[in-house]
């Protein structure tokens, strides 16, 4: 009788342990995080990477890549991955890799040198966009292409100062990406000098979506002026979104959602 009691207690303990083990929390993994040593920037940079469902090193499928500025885990990376995952799930766009570039000093990385003395004094680290551009071109993009199964489609997403940098890349190194999503670009920087230069237009077809909210006459006017400049190149398909119910702080997610709709139109049935 005693042995039967001990056996019953033993089996009960095992069952209880198994039940507790099944209730133990497990990490929810959204993607990968890598640390990339940059000789261009003379520092290490954190890169967050979202891989589409079904991605496998043994597979032969190659995927578009979306590069996200302000791509830290506590910035826009999680939110944009959610939009991309939803569009993919609904078969509204092809499965894609998202590469989030975490910030160190966005004022430094996203701005070119300014001639405004007050801005130089108030923001002494600004003006490093050329080095950051070199990091993207010479280090980050080659690393992603080598490490992951990518195709030729590359999209850049940037808002605010990130939109300023995206516009600078469009004007100076347009072939770095095939698509651009530019939201509320801070083109007021350096007295709107970027809009005054002559862009180096790409000979390759390119899609660009520009968006702005209810953000005042300067921001709204600069965004519209950018669209007019881009429309002069017949190889660029430009789309513009105005969101009067949104402001600089609230526009990003709805603008990116709309941009992905525009950049991935439904295929016409034959």
């Amino acid at each position: 009788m005693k042995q039967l009691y001990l056996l019953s207690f033993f089996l009960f303990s095992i069952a209880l342990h198994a039940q507790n083990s099944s209730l133990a929390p497990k990490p929810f993994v959204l993607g990968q995080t890598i640390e990339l040593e940059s000789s261009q920037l003379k520092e290490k940079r954190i890169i967050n990477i979202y891989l589409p469902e079904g991605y496998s090193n043994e597979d032969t499928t190659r995927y578009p890549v979306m590069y996200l500025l302000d791509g830290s885990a506590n910035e826009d990376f999680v939110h944009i991955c959610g939009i991309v995952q939803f569009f993919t799930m609904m078969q509204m766009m092809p499965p894609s890799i998202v590469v989030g570039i975490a910030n160190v000093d966005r004022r430094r990385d996203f701005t070119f040198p300014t001639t405004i003395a007050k801005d130089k004094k108030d923001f002494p680290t600004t003006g490093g966009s050329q080095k950051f551009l070199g990091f993207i071109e010479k280090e980050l993009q080659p690393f992603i292409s080598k490490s992951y199964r990518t195709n030729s489609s590359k999209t850049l997403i940037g808002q605010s100062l990130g939109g300023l940098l995206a516009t600078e890349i469009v004007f100076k190194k347009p072939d770095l990406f095939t698509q651009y999503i530019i939201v509320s670009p801070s083109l007021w920087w350096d007295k709107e000098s970027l809009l005054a230069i002559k862009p180096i237009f790409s000979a390759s077809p390119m899609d660009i979506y520009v968006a702005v909210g209810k953000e005042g006459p300067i921001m709204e006017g600069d965004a519209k002026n950018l669209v007019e400049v881009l429309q002069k190149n017949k190889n660029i398909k430009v789309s513009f979104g105005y969101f009067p119910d949104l402001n600089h702080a609230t526009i990003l997610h709805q603008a990116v959602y709309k941009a992905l709709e525009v950049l991935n139109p439904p295929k016409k049935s034959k």
Side-chain angles (χ1 to χ4, degrees):
M1 187 69 178
K2 183 177 181 181
Q3 290 177 335
L4 181 61
Y5 173 80
L6 290 174
L7 178 61
S8 299
F9 179 78
F10 177 69
L11 293 175
F12 175 77
S13 298
I14 292 177
L16 183 62
H17 176 73
Q19 183 181 15
N20 290 337
S21 297
S22 66
L23 294 176
K26 299 178 182 179
F28 178 80
V29 179
L30 178 66
Q32 304 174 352
T33 296
I34 63 170
E35 192 173 60
L36 195 60
E37 185 76 46
S38 172
S39 59
Q40 294 287 321
L41 298 172
K42 304 293 189 297
E43 64 188 12
K44 293 180 180 180
R45 298 302 296 253
I46 298 297
I47 307 298
N48 296 308
I49 300 170
Y50 165 81
L51 299 175
E53 184 178 359
Y55 183 97
S56 169
N57 290 329
E58 287 72 38
D59 193 6
T60 58
T61 306
R62 294 193 167 272
Y63 299 89
V65 184
M66 307 182 73
Y67 289 83
L68 174 65
L69 303 175
D70 295 317
S72 298
N74 62 347
E75 293 175 315
D76 299 325
F77 180 71
V78 174
H79 314 294
I80 298 303
C81 287
I83 297 174
V84 172
Q85 189 272 345
F86 174 77
F87 268 74
T88 301
M89 178 179 67
M90 301 304 293
Q91 298 183 340
M92 297 165 63
M93 66 177 286
S96 302
I97 298 169
V98 180
V99 176
I101 310 172
N103 280 323
V104 172
D105 183 348
R106 68 193 302 273
R107 287 176 177 168
R108 176 197 70 186
D109 292 337
F110 296 171
T111 61
F112 50 86
T114 179
T115 59
I116 310 302
K118 186 177 186 304
D119 288 342
K120 290 181 181 180
K121 180 180 179 181
D122 293 343
F123 312 111
T125 65
T126 55
S129 64
Q130 195 63 32
K131 290 183 178 179
F132 191 73
L133 196 156
F135 163 69
I136 293 175
E137 178 183 15
K138 299 176 182 179
E139 297 176 331
L140 180 57
Q141 285 189 345
F143 172 82
I144 296 298
S145 297
K146 180 181 178 181
S147 304
Y148 300 91
R149 292 197 322 281
T150 67
N151 61 27
S152 59
S153 177
K154 293 177 289 186
T155 302
L156 180 65
I157 303 175
Q159 183 201 15
S160 193
L161 287 179
L164 174 69
L165 177 70
T167 303
E168 184 180 2
I169 295 175
V170 169
F171 279 26
K172 298 178 180 179
K173 287 269 189 177
D175 290 329
L176 279 185
F177 299 93
T178 55
Q179 296 180 327
Y180 292 82
I181 300 175
I182 302 174
V183 181
S184 304
S186 298
L187 296 171
W188 50 264
W189 180 255
D190 192 39
K191 290 186 177 179
E192 302 163 314
S193 64
L194 187 59
L195 288 173
I197 72 172
K198 185 177 180 180
I200 302 174
F201 281 141
S202 173
S204 303
M206 185 179 301
D207 291 304
I208 300 178
Y209 182 89
V210 180
V212 71
K214 191 72 174 178
E215 304 180 58
I218 295 178
M219 292 285 290
E220 295 172 35
D222 285 346
K224 293 175 182 177
N225 290 338
L226 172 60
V227 171
E228 292 177 3
V229 171
L230 296 174
Q231 286 174 335
K232 295 177 181 178
N233 183 356
K234 62 181 181 180
N235 293 317
I236 299 178
K237 181 182 177 182
V238 188
S239 302
F240 177 68
Y242 178 57
F243 297 80
D245 297 328
L246 302 175
N247 57 40
H248 197 72
T250 60
I251 186 176
L252 179 65
H253 301 96
Q254 290 193 42
V256 171
Y257 188 101
K258 186 61 180 179
L260 292 182
E261 282 188 327
V262 171
L263 298 176
N264 298 278
K267 294 182 179 180
K268 296 181 180 179
S269 57
K270 295 181 181 180

